[in-house]
Coordinates of all heavy atoms in Angstrom, one line a residue:
M38 N 144.1 170.5 123.7 CA 145.3 170.2 122.8 C 145.6 168.7 122.9 O 145.4 168.1 123.9 CB 146.5 171.0 123.2 CG 146.4 172.5 123.2 SD 146.2 173.1 121.5 CE 147.9 173.2 121.0
I39 N 146.1 168.1 121.8 CA 146.5 166.7 121.7 C 147.9 166.6 122.3 O 148.7 167.6 122.2 CB 146.4 166.2 120.3 CG1 146.5 164.7 120.3 CG2 147.5 166.8 119.4 CD1 145.9 164.1 119.0
A40 N 148.2 165.5 122.9 CA 149.5 165.3 123.5 C 150.6 165.5 122.4 O 150.5 165.0 121.3 CB 149.6 163.9 124.0
P41 N 151.7 166.2 122.8 CA 152.8 166.4 121.9 C 153.4 165.2 121.3 O 154.0 165.2 120.3 CB 153.8 167.2 122.7 CG 153.1 167.7 123.8 CD 151.9 166.8 124.1
A42 N 153.3 164.0 122.0 CA 153.9 162.8 121.5 C 153.2 162.3 120.2 O 153.8 161.5 119.5 CB 153.7 161.7 122.6
V43 N 152.0 162.8 119.9 CA 151.4 162.3 118.6 C 152.1 163.0 117.5 O 152.3 164.2 117.5 CB 149.9 162.7 118.6 CG1 149.2 162.4 117.3 CG2 149.2 161.9 119.7
H44 N 152.5 162.2 116.5 CA 153.2 162.8 115.3 C 152.1 163.2 114.3 O 151.5 162.4 113.7 CB 154.1 161.7 114.7 CG 154.8 162.2 113.5 ND1 155.7 163.2 113.5 CD2 154.8 161.7 112.2 CE1 156.2 163.4 112.2 NE2 155.7 162.5 111.5
V45 N 152.0 164.5 114.1 CA 151.1 165.0 113.0 C 151.9 165.4 111.8 O 152.9 166.1 111.9 CB 150.3 166.3 113.6 CG1 149.4 166.8 112.5 CG2 149.5 165.9 114.8
H46 N 151.5 164.9 110.7 CA 152.2 165.1 109.4 C 151.2 165.0 108.3 O 150.1 164.7 108.4 CB 153.4 164.2 109.3 CG 153.0 162.8 109.2 ND1 152.6 162.0 110.3 CD2 153.0 161.9 108.2 CE1 152.3 160.8 109.9 NE2 152.5 160.7 108.7
V47 N 151.7 165.4 107.1 CA 150.9 165.3 105.9 C 151.6 164.4 104.9 O 152.8 164.2 104.9 CB 150.7 166.7 105.2 CG1 149.9 167.6 106.2 CG2 152.0 167.3 104.8
A48 N 150.8 163.8 104.0 CA 151.3 162.9 103.0 C 150.3 162.9 101.8 O 149.1 163.1 102.0 CB 151.6 161.5 103.5
P49 N 150.8 162.6 100.6 CA 149.9 162.4 99.5 C 148.9 161.3 99.8 O 149.3 160.3 100.4 CB 150.8 162.1 98.3 CG 152.1 162.7 98.7 CD 152.2 162.5 100.2
V50 N 147.7 161.4 99.4 CA 146.7 160.4 99.6 C 147.0 159.2 98.8 O 147.2 159.3 97.5 CB 145.2 160.9 99.3 CG1 144.2 159.8 99.4 CG2 144.9 162.1 100.2
T51 N 147.1 158.1 99.4 CA 147.3 156.8 98.7 C 146.0 156.1 98.5 O 145.0 156.4 99.2 CB 148.3 155.9 99.4 OG1 147.7 155.5 100.7 CG2 149.7 156.6 99.7
A52 N 146.0 155.0 97.7 CA 144.8 154.2 97.5 C 144.4 153.6 98.9 O 143.2 153.6 99.2 CB 145.1 153.1 96.6
A53 N 145.3 153.3 99.7 CA 145.0 152.7 101.1 C 144.3 153.8 102.0 O 143.6 153.4 102.9 CB 146.2 152.2 101.7
M54 N 144.6 155.0 101.7 CA 144.0 156.1 102.6 C 142.6 156.6 102.0 O 141.9 157.3 102.8 CB 144.9 157.3 102.6 CG 146.2 157.1 103.3 SD 147.1 158.7 103.1 CE 148.8 158.2 103.5
S55 N 142.3 156.3 100.8 CA 141.1 156.9 100.2 C 139.8 156.7 101.0 O 139.1 157.7 101.1 CB 140.9 156.4 98.8 OG 142.0 156.9 97.9
M56 N 139.6 155.5 101.5 CA 138.3 155.3 102.2 C 138.3 156.1 103.5 O 137.2 156.7 103.8 CB 138.1 153.8 102.5 CG 137.7 153.0 101.3 SD 137.4 151.3 101.6 CE 136.2 151.3 102.9
A57 N 139.4 156.3 104.1 CA 139.5 157.1 105.4 C 139.2 158.6 105.1 O 138.6 159.3 105.8 CB 140.8 156.9 106.1
V58 N 139.8 159.1 103.9 CA 139.5 160.4 103.6 C 138.1 160.6 103.2 O 137.5 161.6 103.7 CB 140.4 160.9 102.4 CG1 140.0 162.2 101.8 CG2 141.9 160.9 102.8
E59 N 137.5 159.7 102.5 CA 136.1 159.8 102.1 C 135.2 159.8 103.4 O 134.1 160.4 103.4 CB 135.7 158.7 101.2 CG 136.3 158.9 99.8 CD 136.1 157.7 98.9 OE1 135.6 156.6 99.4 OE2 136.5 157.7 97.7
A60 N 135.6 159.2 104.4 CA 134.8 159.1 105.7 C 134.9 160.3 106.6 O 134.2 160.4 107.6 CB 135.2 157.8 106.4
L61 N 135.9 161.2 106.3 CA 136.0 162.4 107.1 C 134.7 163.2 107.1 O 134.0 163.2 106.1 CB 137.1 163.3 106.5 CG 138.5 162.7 106.6 CD1 139.5 163.6 105.9 CD2 139.0 162.5 108.1
Q62 N 134.5 163.8 108.2 CA 133.2 164.6 108.4 C 133.6 166.0 108.9 O 134.5 166.2 109.6 CB 132.3 164.0 109.4 CG 131.9 162.6 109.0 CD 131.1 161.9 110.1 OE1 130.6 162.6 111.1 NE2 130.9 160.6 110.0
V63 N 132.8 167.0 108.4 CA 132.9 168.3 108.9 C 131.5 168.7 109.5 O 130.5 168.1 109.2 CB 133.3 169.4 107.9 CG1 134.7 169.1 107.4 CG2 132.4 169.4 106.7
R64 N 131.5 169.7 110.3 CA 130.2 170.2 110.9 C 129.4 170.8 109.7 O 129.9 171.3 108.8 CB 130.4 171.2 112.0 CG 131.2 170.6 113.2 CD 131.2 171.6 114.3 NE 131.3 173.0 113.9 CZ 132.5 173.7 114.1 NH1 133.5 173.2 114.6 NH2 132.5 175.0 113.7
P65 N 128.1 170.7 109.9 CA 127.2 171.3 108.8 C 127.5 172.7 108.4 O 127.5 173.1 107.3 CB 125.8 171.2 109.4 CG 125.9 170.0 110.3 CD 127.3 170.1 110.9
D66 N 127.9 173.5 109.4 CA 128.2 174.9 109.1 C 129.6 175.1 108.4 O 129.9 176.2 108.0 CB 128.2 175.8 110.4 CG 129.2 175.3 111.4 OD1 129.3 174.1 111.7 OD2 129.9 176.2 112.0
Q67 N 130.4 174.1 108.3 CA 131.6 174.1 107.6 C 131.6 173.7 106.2 O 132.5 174.0 105.4 CB 132.7 173.3 108.4 CG 133.0 173.8 109.8 CD 133.8 172.8 110.6 OE1 133.7 171.6 110.4 NE2 134.6 173.4 111.4
V68 N 130.5 173.0 105.8 CA 130.4 172.4 104.4 C 130.5 173.5 103.4 O 131.1 173.4 102.3 CB 129.1 171.6 104.3 CG1 128.9 171.2 102.8 CG2 129.2 170.4 105.2
A69 N 129.9 174.7 103.6 CA 130.0 175.8 102.7 C 131.4 176.3 102.4 O 131.7 176.8 101.3 CB 129.1 176.9 103.2
Y70 N 132.3 176.0 103.4 CA 133.7 176.5 103.2 C 134.6 175.5 102.7 O 135.5 175.8 101.9 CB 134.2 177.0 104.6 CG 133.3 178.2 105.1 CD1 132.4 178.0 106.1 CD2 133.5 179.5 104.6 CE1 131.6 179.0 106.5 CE2 132.7 180.5 105.0 CZ 131.8 180.3 106.0 OH 131.0 181.3 106.4
V71 N 134.4 174.2 103.1 CA 135.4 173.2 102.7 C 134.7 172.1 101.8 O 135.5 171.3 101.2 CB 136.0 172.5 103.9 CG1 136.8 173.5 104.7 CG2 135.0 171.7 104.7
G72 N 133.4 172.1 101.6 CA 132.8 171.1 100.8 C 132.7 169.7 101.4 O 133.0 169.5 102.6
V73 N 132.5 168.7 100.6 CA 132.3 167.3 101.0 C 133.6 166.6 100.7 O 134.1 166.6 99.6 CB 131.1 166.7 100.3 CG1 131.0 165.2 100.6 CG2 129.8 167.4 100.6
P74 N 134.2 166.0 101.7 CA 135.6 165.4 101.5 C 135.6 164.4 100.4 O 136.6 164.4 99.6 CB 135.8 164.7 102.9 CG 135.1 165.5 103.9 CD 133.8 166.0 103.2
A75 N 134.6 163.5 100.2 CA 134.7 162.5 99.1 C 134.7 163.2 97.8 O 135.4 162.8 96.9 CB 133.5 161.6 99.3
F76 N 133.9 164.2 97.6 CA 133.8 165.0 96.4 C 135.2 165.6 96.1 O 135.7 165.6 95.0 CB 132.7 166.0 96.4 CG 132.8 166.9 95.2 CD1 132.2 166.5 94.0 CD2 133.4 168.1 95.2 CE1 132.2 167.3 92.8 CE2 133.5 169.0 94.1 CZ 132.9 168.6 92.9
N77 N 135.7 166.3 97.1 CA 137.0 167.0 97.0 C 138.2 166.0 96.6 O 139.0 166.3 95.8 CB 137.4 167.8 98.2 CG 136.5 169.0 98.3 OD1 136.2 169.7 97.3 ND2 136.1 169.4 99.5
L78 N 138.1 164.9 97.2 CA 139.2 163.8 96.9 C 139.1 163.4 95.5 O 140.1 163.4 94.8 CB 139.0 162.6 97.9 CG 140.0 161.5 97.6 CD1 141.4 161.9 97.7 CD2 139.6 160.3 98.5
A79 N 137.9 163.1 95.0 CA 137.7 162.6 93.7 C 138.1 163.7 92.7 O 138.7 163.5 91.7 CB 136.2 162.2 93.4
S80 N 137.7 165.0 93.0 CA 138.1 166.1 92.1 C 139.6 166.3 92.0 O 140.1 166.5 91.0 CB 137.4 167.4 92.7 OG 137.7 168.5 91.9
A81 N 140.2 166.2 93.2 CA 141.7 166.4 93.2 C 142.4 165.2 92.4 O 143.3 165.4 91.7 CB 142.2 166.4 94.6
Q82 N 141.9 164.0 92.6 CA 142.5 162.9 92.0 C 142.3 162.8 90.5 O 143.1 162.3 89.7 CB 142.0 161.6 92.6 CG 142.5 161.4 94.0 CD 141.9 160.1 94.7 OE1 140.8 159.8 94.4 NE2 142.7 159.5 95.5
S83 N 141.3 163.5 90.0 CA 141.0 163.5 88.5 C 141.7 164.7 87.8 O 141.6 164.8 86.6 CB 139.5 163.5 88.3 OG 138.9 164.8 88.7
D84 N 142.3 165.6 88.6 CA 142.9 166.8 88.0 C 144.4 166.7 88.1 O 145.0 166.6 89.1 CB 142.5 168.0 88.9 CG 143.0 169.3 88.4 OD1 143.8 169.4 87.5 OD2 142.5 170.4 88.9
P85 N 145.0 166.7 86.9 CA 146.5 166.5 86.8 C 147.3 167.7 87.4 O 148.4 167.6 87.7 CB 146.8 166.4 85.3 CG 145.6 166.9 84.6 CD 144.4 166.7 85.5
L86 N 146.6 168.8 87.7 CA 147.2 170.0 88.3 C 146.9 170.1 89.8 O 147.1 171.1 90.4 CB 146.8 171.3 87.6 CG 147.3 171.4 86.1 CD1 146.7 172.6 85.5 CD2 148.8 171.3 86.0
S87 N 146.4 169.0 90.4 CA 146.1 169.0 91.8 C 146.8 167.8 92.5 O 147.1 166.8 91.8 CB 144.6 168.8 92.0 OG 144.0 170.0 91.7
E88 N 147.0 167.9 93.8 CA 147.5 166.8 94.6 C 146.6 166.7 95.8 O 146.4 167.7 96.6 CB 149.0 167.2 95.0 CG 149.6 166.1 95.9 CD 150.0 164.9 95.0 OE1 150.5 165.0 93.9 OE2 149.9 163.7 95.6
A89 N 146.1 165.5 96.1 CA 145.3 165.3 97.2 C 146.2 164.9 98.4 O 147.1 164.0 98.3 CB 144.3 164.1 97.0
M90 N 146.0 165.6 99.5 CA 146.9 165.4 100.7 C 146.1 165.0 101.9 O 145.0 165.6 102.1 CB 147.7 166.7 101.0 CG 148.5 167.2 99.8 SD 149.9 166.2 99.4 CE 150.9 166.4 100.9
A91 N 146.7 164.1 102.7 CA 146.0 163.7 103.9 C 146.8 164.3 105.1 O 148.0 164.4 105.0 CB 146.1 162.1 104.0
V92 N 146.1 164.6 106.1 CA 146.6 165.0 107.4 C 146.5 163.8 108.3 O 145.4 163.2 108.5 CB 145.9 166.2 108.0 CG1 146.5 166.6 109.4 CG2 145.9 167.4 107.1
L93 N 147.6 163.4 108.9 CA 147.7 162.2 109.7 C 148.1 162.5 111.1 O 149.0 163.3 111.3 CB 148.6 161.2 109.1 CG 148.2 160.7 107.7 CD1 149.3 161.2 106.7 CD2 148.1 159.3 107.6
A94 N 147.5 161.9 112.1 CA 148.0 161.9 113.5 C 148.5 160.5 113.7 O 147.7 159.5 113.7 CB 146.9 162.3 114.4
D95 N 149.8 160.4 113.9 CA 150.5 159.1 113.8 C 150.1 158.5 112.5 O 150.5 159.1 111.5 CB 150.1 158.2 115.0 CG 150.7 158.7 116.3 OD1 151.8 159.3 116.2 OD2 150.1 158.5 117.4
H96 N 149.4 157.4 112.4 CA 149.1 156.8 111.1 C 147.6 156.9 110.7 O 147.1 156.3 109.8 CB 149.5 155.4 111.0 CG 151.0 155.2 111.2 ND1 151.9 155.7 110.3 CD2 151.7 154.8 112.2 CE1 153.1 155.5 110.7 NE2 153.1 155.0 111.9
Q97 N 146.8 157.7 111.5 CA 145.4 157.8 111.3 C 145.1 159.1 110.5 O 145.5 160.2 110.8 CB 144.7 157.9 112.7 CG 143.2 158.1 112.5 CD 142.5 158.2 113.9 OE1 143.1 158.3 114.9 NE2 141.2 158.4 113.8
V98 N 144.3 158.9 109.4 CA 143.9 160.0 108.6 C 142.9 160.8 109.5 O 141.8 160.3 109.9 CB 143.2 159.6 107.3 CG1 142.6 160.8 106.6 CG2 144.2 158.8 106.4
I99 N 143.2 162.1 109.7 CA 142.3 163.0 110.4 C 141.9 164.3 109.7 O 141.2 165.1 110.2 CB 142.9 163.4 111.8 CG1 144.3 164.1 111.5 CG2 143.1 162.2 112.7 CD1 144.6 165.1 112.6
G100 N 142.5 164.4 108.5 CA 142.2 165.6 107.7 C 142.6 165.5 106.3 O 143.1 164.4 105.8
F101 N 142.3 166.5 105.5 CA 142.5 166.5 104.1 C 142.7 167.9 103.6 O 142.2 168.9 104.2 CB 141.3 165.9 103.4 CG 141.3 166.0 101.9 CD1 142.0 165.2 101.1 CD2 140.6 167.1 101.3 CE1 142.0 165.3 99.7 CE2 140.6 167.2 99.9 CZ 141.3 166.3 99.1
Y102 N 143.4 168.1 102.5 CA 143.4 169.3 101.7 C 143.9 169.0 100.3 O 144.4 167.9 100.0 CB 144.3 170.4 102.3 CG 145.8 170.1 102.5 CD1 146.7 170.5 101.5 CD2 146.2 169.5 103.6 CE1 148.0 170.3 101.7 CE2 147.6 169.3 103.8 CZ 148.5 169.7 102.8 OH 149.8 169.4 103.0
R103 N 143.7 170.0 99.4 CA 144.0 169.8 98.0 C 145.0 170.9 97.7 O 144.8 172.1 97.9 CB 142.8 169.9 97.2 CG 143.0 170.0 95.7 CD 141.6 170.1 95.0 NE 141.8 170.2 93.6 CZ 140.8 170.1 92.7 NH1 139.6 170.0 93.1 NH2 141.1 170.2 91.4
L104 N 146.1 170.6 97.0 CA 147.0 171.5 96.5 C 146.7 171.7 95.0 O 146.5 170.8 94.3 CB 148.5 171.0 96.6 CG 149.0 170.9 98.0 CD1 150.4 170.3 98.0 CD2 149.0 172.2 98.7
D105 N 146.5 173.0 94.6 CA 146.1 173.3 93.2 C 147.2 174.1 92.6 O 147.5 175.2 92.9 CB 144.8 174.2 93.3 CG 144.2 174.5 92.0 OD1 144.9 174.2 90.9 OD2 143.1 175.0 92.0
F106 N 147.8 173.4 91.5 CA 148.9 174.0 90.8 C 148.5 174.7 89.5 O 149.4 175.1 88.7 CB 150.0 172.9 90.6 CG 150.5 172.3 91.8 CD1 150.1 171.1 92.3 CD2 151.6 173.0 92.5 CE1 150.6 170.6 93.5 CE2 152.1 172.4 93.7 CZ 151.6 171.2 94.1
A107 N 147.3 174.9 89.3 CA 146.8 175.6 88.1 C 147.4 177.0 88.1 O 147.5 177.7 89.1 CB 145.3 175.6 88.0
P108 N 147.7 177.5 86.9 CA 148.3 178.9 86.8 C 147.4 180.0 87.4 O 147.9 181.0 87.8 CB 148.5 179.1 85.3 CG 148.6 177.7 84.7 CD 147.7 176.9 85.6
N109 N 146.1 179.7 87.4 CA 145.1 180.7 87.9 C 144.6 180.3 89.3 O 143.6 180.9 89.7 CB 144.0 180.9 86.9 CG 143.2 179.6 86.8 OD1 143.6 178.6 87.2 ND2 142.0 179.7 86.2
A110 N 145.3 179.5 90.0 CA 144.8 179.0 91.3 C 144.7 180.0 92.4 O 143.8 179.9 93.2 CB 145.8 177.9 91.8
I111 N 145.5 181.1 92.4 CA 145.4 182.0 93.5 C 144.4 183.1 93.3 O 143.5 183.3 94.2 CB 146.8 182.7 93.7 CG1 147.9 181.6 93.9 CG2 146.8 183.7 94.8 CD1 147.7 180.8 95.1
I112 N 144.4 183.8 92.2 CA 143.5 184.9 92.0 C 142.6 184.8 90.7 O 141.9 185.8 90.4 CB 144.2 186.3 92.0 CG1 145.2 186.4 90.8 CG2 144.9 186.5 93.3 CD1 145.8 187.7 90.6
G113 N 142.6 183.6 90.1 CA 141.7 183.5 89.0 C 142.3 183.8 87.7 O 141.7 183.8 86.6
R114 N 143.6 184.2 87.7 CA 144.3 184.5 86.4 C 145.8 184.2 86.6 O 146.3 184.1 87.7 CB 144.2 186.0 86.0 CG 144.8 187.0 87.0 CD 144.6 188.4 86.4 NE 145.0 189.4 87.4 CZ 146.3 189.8 87.6 NH1 147.3 189.3 86.9 NH2 146.6 190.6 88.5
D115 N 146.4 183.9 85.5 CA 147.8 183.5 85.6 C 148.7 184.7 86.0 O 148.6 185.8 85.5 CB 148.2 183.1 84.1 CG 149.6 182.4 84.1 OD1 150.4 182.6 85.0 OD2 149.9 181.8 83.1
L116 N 149.5 184.4 87.1 CA 150.4 185.5 87.6 C 151.7 185.5 86.9 O 152.5 186.3 87.2 CB 150.6 185.2 89.1 CG 149.3 185.4 90.0 CD1 149.6 185.0 91.4 CD2 148.8 186.9 89.9
G117 N 152.0 184.5 86.0 CA 153.2 184.5 85.3 C 154.4 183.9 86.1 O 155.5 183.8 85.6
V118 N 154.1 183.4 87.3 CA 155.1 182.7 88.1 C 154.4 181.4 88.7 O 153.2 181.4 88.8 CB 155.6 183.6 89.2 CG1 156.4 184.7 88.7 CG2 154.6 184.0 90.1
P119 N 155.1 180.4 89.0 CA 154.5 179.2 89.6 C 153.8 179.6 90.9 O 154.3 180.4 91.7 CB 155.7 178.3 89.9 CG 156.8 178.8 88.9 CD 156.6 180.2 88.8
T120 N 152.6 179.1 91.1 CA 151.8 179.3 92.2 C 151.2 178.0 92.7 O 151.1 177.0 92.0 CB 150.6 180.3 92.0 OG1 149.8 179.8 91.0 CG2 151.1 181.7 91.5
V121 N 150.7 178.0 93.9 CA 150.0 176.9 94.5 C 148.8 177.4 95.3 O 149.0 178.3 96.2 CB 150.9 175.9 95.2 CG1 151.5 176.5 96.4 CG2 150.1 174.6 95.6
G122 N 147.7 176.8 95.1 CA 146.5 177.2 95.9 C 146.2 176.1 96.9 O 146.4 174.9 96.6
L123 N 145.8 176.5 98.1 CA 145.4 175.5 99.1 C 143.9 175.5 99.1 O 143.2 176.5 99.4 CB 145.9 175.9 100.5 CG 145.6 175.1 101.7 CD1 146.2 173.7 101.5 CD2 146.0 175.7 103.0
R124 N 143.3 174.3 98.9 CA 141.8 174.2 98.8 C 141.3 173.1 99.8 O 142.0 172.1 100.1 CB 141.5 173.6 97.4 CG 142.0 174.5 96.2 CD 141.0 175.5 95.8 NE 141.4 176.2 94.6 CZ 141.9 177.4 94.6 NH1 141.9 178.1 95.7 NH2 142.2 177.9 93.4
A125 N 140.1 173.3 100.3 CA 139.4 172.4 101.0 C 140.1 171.8 102.3 O 139.9 170.7 102.6 CB 138.9 171.2 100.1
F126 N 140.9 172.7 102.9 CA 141.6 172.2 104.1 C 140.6 171.9 105.2 O 139.7 172.7 105.6 CB 142.6 173.3 104.6 CG 143.4 172.8 105.8 CD1 144.6 172.2 105.7 CD2 142.9 173.0 107.1 CE1 145.3 171.7 106.8 CE2 143.6 172.6 108.2 CZ 144.8 171.9 108.0
L127 N 140.7 170.7 105.8 CA 139.7 170.4 106.9 C 140.4 169.4 107.8 O 141.2 168.6 107.5 CB 138.4 169.8 106.3 CG 138.6 168.4 105.6 CD1 138.2 167.3 106.6 CD2 137.7 168.4 104.4
I128 N 139.9 169.5 109.1 CA 140.2 168.5 110.1 C 138.9 167.9 110.4 O 137.9 168.6 110.6 CB 140.9 169.1 111.3 CG1 142.2 169.7 111.0 CG2 141.1 168.1 112.4 CD1 143.3 168.8 110.4
D129 N 138.8 166.6 110.5 CA 137.6 165.9 110.8 C 137.0 166.4 112.1 O 137.7 166.8 113.1 CB 137.9 164.4 111.0 CG 136.7 163.5 111.3 OD1 136.1 163.1 110.3 OD2 136.3 163.4 112.4
A130 N 135.6 166.6 112.1 CA 134.9 167.2 113.2 C 135.2 166.5 114.5 O 135.3 167.2 115.6 CB 133.4 167.2 112.9
R131 N 135.5 165.2 114.5 CA 135.8 164.5 115.7 C 137.2 164.8 116.3 O 137.5 164.4 117.4 CB 135.6 163.0 115.5 CG 134.2 162.6 115.1 CD 134.1 161.3 114.4 NE 134.7 161.4 113.1 CZ 134.5 160.5 112.1 NH1 133.8 159.4 112.3 NH2 135.0 160.7 110.9
H132 N 138.0 165.5 115.5 CA 139.4 165.8 115.9 C 139.6 167.3 116.0 O 140.8 167.7 116.3 CB 140.4 165.2 115.0 CG 140.3 163.7 114.9 ND1 140.9 162.9 115.9 CD2 139.7 162.8 114.1 CE1 140.6 161.6 115.6 NE2 139.9 161.6 114.5
Q133 N 138.6 168.1 115.8 CA 138.8 169.6 115.8 C 139.0 170.0 117.3 O 138.5 169.4 118.2 CB 137.6 170.3 115.2 CG 137.6 170.0 113.7 CD 136.4 170.7 113.0 OE1 135.7 171.5 113.6 NE2 136.2 170.3 111.8
G134 N 139.6 171.2 117.4 CA 139.7 171.8 118.7 C 140.9 171.3 119.5 O 141.0 171.6 120.7
R135 N 141.8 170.5 118.9 CA 142.9 169.9 119.6 C 144.2 170.4 119.1 O 145.3 169.8 119.5 CB 142.7 168.4 119.6 CG 141.5 167.9 120.2 CD 141.1 166.5 119.9 NE 142.1 165.5 119.9 CZ 142.0 164.3 119.4 NH1 140.8 163.9 118.9 NH2 143.0 163.5 119.4
G136 N 144.3 171.4 118.3 CA 145.5 171.9 117.8 C 146.1 171.1 116.7 O 147.3 171.3 116.3
L137 N 145.4 170.1 116.1 CA 146.0 169.3 115.0 C 146.2 170.0 113.7 O 147.2 169.8 113.1 CB 145.1 168.0 114.8 CG 145.0 167.2 116.1 CD1 143.9 166.1 115.8 CD2 146.3 166.5 116.5
G138 N 145.3 170.8 113.3 CA 145.4 171.6 112.1 C 146.7 172.5 112.1 O 147.4 172.5 111.1
A139 N 146.9 173.1 113.2 CA 148.1 174.0 113.3 C 149.4 173.2 113.2 O 150.4 173.7 112.8 CB 148.0 174.8 114.6
R140 N 149.3 171.9 113.5 CA 150.6 171.1 113.5 C 150.7 170.4 112.2 O 151.7 169.6 112.0 CB 150.5 170.1 114.7 CG 150.6 170.8 116.0 CD 150.5 169.9 117.2 NE 151.4 168.8 117.1 CZ 151.1 167.7 117.9 NH1 150.1 167.6 118.7 NH2 152.0 166.6 117.8
A141 N 149.8 170.5 111.3 CA 149.9 169.8 110.0 C 150.9 170.4 109.1 O 150.7 171.3 108.3 CB 148.5 169.8 109.3
T142 N 152.2 169.9 109.1 CA 153.3 170.4 108.3 C 153.9 169.3 107.5 O 153.8 168.1 107.8 CB 154.3 171.1 109.2 OG1 154.9 170.1 110.1 CG2 153.8 172.2 109.9

């Protein structure tokens, strides 16, 4: 576990964070589940119904996810109520196993 003194939080990806997000790495066996961070960032940034989010430990980018606000984001069809899908959640392989993902709020 990482020391509790480290402030783990999330924030929308800014231009200043983009290179750090693109440099995130996952283990080869995780790519099938979360994809390639640089591709996911570009995809989220080009979609007006998505928000690219960074996971930070203090001020260091250590993870990424995409919020998907498309009406069919959850089950592939419009549910008639606002929904949000969580896509491509990842913690960089160099930071996994330390409880950071669970603290990303």
Side-chain angles (χ1 to χ4, degrees):
M38 297 294 277
I39 195 161
V43 173
H44 178 61
V45 178
H46 62 287
V47 300
V50 174
T51 65
M54 293 178 197
S55 289
M56 285 182 56
V58 170
E59 291 171 351
L61 294 171
Q62 299 174 15
V63 295
R64 295 188 325 254
D66 61 315
Q67 296 171 327
V68 173
Y70 300 101
V71 299
V73 176
F76 173 83
N77 287 324
L78 174 61
S80 180
Q82 290 176 325
S83 68
D84 183 350
L86 295 177
S87 288
E88 182 74 41
M90 301 293 292
V92 179
L93 301 112
D95 290 329
H96 300 288
Q97 179 184 2
V98 174
I99 59 150
F101 169 83
Y102 62 92
R103 173 182 179 170
L104 296 175
D105 185 347
F106 298 98
N109 64 348
I111 304 297
I112 62 170
R114 65 178 172 83
D115 190 342
L116 295 173
V118 296
T120 60
V121 61
L123 178 66
R124 306 267 188 251
F126 183 91
L127 67 97
I128 299 296
D129 185 88
R131 296 162 287 198
H132 296 281
Q133 292 178 12
R135 297 167 40 195
L137 300 171
R140 292 175 52 198
T142 61

